[in-house]
Amino acid sequence: MACLHDHSCEEHDCSSDFSLYKHIDLPKVSALNEAAPGSVKSVFKAWEQRLDSSGAHLESNDGDPELLVFIPFTSDVKIKSISVVGGDTGTSPAKMRAFINRDGIDFSDAQSMRPVQEWELAENLHGVLEYQTRYVLISYPYFISHLLLFMNYS
């Protein structure tokens, strides 16, 4: 695949060049229904460190397969793809729904509201899968100040 810049992406991994990690307001990241409070902050990593499994893991409370993850950004962004690196033996989410620039969404809202995009997820133990976003997440007229991800593990 030829890039629009000075090299071929077959020979160079461009993902780190476009990572939004540096734009995530990490102290304000939060999750509802996480098994270990605050563990959500540990799953956001620079692209080069995405496979580093040291530290806490993000899991939902026992018996409840849902998580709501609130991701604020320090500046307005456009999202081209999302990578969810998950554990094995069913510990990675099966579905994900995205909502942008919406405050006060709870689990009931996340199940009933129409998301801007929804994905069926596969286990991604090696961080090679990226889920492309629809045009709306790239060209949202007011850009994206925060993202809410509703994840279901069943």
Side-chain angles (χ1 to χ4, degrees):
M1 168 182 189
C3 290
L4 298 176
H5 34 274
D6 63 356
H7 64 264
S8 166
C9 280
E10 291 174 359
E11 300 166 8
H12 177 76
D13 183 6
C14 294
S15 299
S16 63
D17 297 339
F18 299 104
S19 173
L20 291 180
Y21 176 73
K22 62 184 170 254
H23 298 284
I24 295 174
D25 192 352
L26 205 52
K28 294 181 182 174
V29 168
S30 63
L32 295 179
N33 200 37
E34 61 186 322
S39 62
V40 68
K41 291 174 174 50
S42 69
V43 300
F44 294 97
K45 299 176 181 171
W47 180 257
E48 303 80 24
Q49 297 170 345
R50 70 190 182 284
L51 299 178
D52 179 3
S53 61
S54 63
H57 295 87
L58 180 61
E59 297 177 11
S60 62
N61 284 321
D62 286 340
D64 190 349
E66 298 174 337
L67 278 170
L68 264 175
V69 179
F70 177 73
I71 309 160
F73 299 102
T74 57
S75 59
D76 290 339
V77 299
K78 294 181 180 187
I79 300 172
K80 296 181 180 182
S81 66
I82 296 175
S83 181
V84 179
V85 180
D88 56 359
T89 64
T91 59
S92 58
K95 296 179 184 176
M96 180 172 65
R97 305 178 90 200
F99 303 90
I100 54 177
N101 300 346
R102 301 290 304 258
D103 291 319
I105 294 178
D106 61 17
F107 286 102
S108 177
D109 295 331
Q111 291 171 347
S112 63
M113 289 174 51
R114 184 176 178 189
V116 293
Q117 189 162 350
E118 188 169 6
W119 298 266
E120 297 284 331
L121 304 178
E123 284 187 351
N124 187 19
L125 302 176
H126 305 291
V128 296
L129 296 176
E130 287 186 48
Y131 296 93
Q132 300 303 306
T133 61
R134 287 188 189 140
Y135 186 72
V136 71
L137 291 176
I138 298 170
S139 65
Y140 191 74
Y142 306 106
F143 294 92
I144 300 170
S145 63
H146 57 276
L147 176 68
L148 183 81
L149 297 176
F150 173 64
M151 298 184 173
N152 193 316
Y153 287 76
S154 58

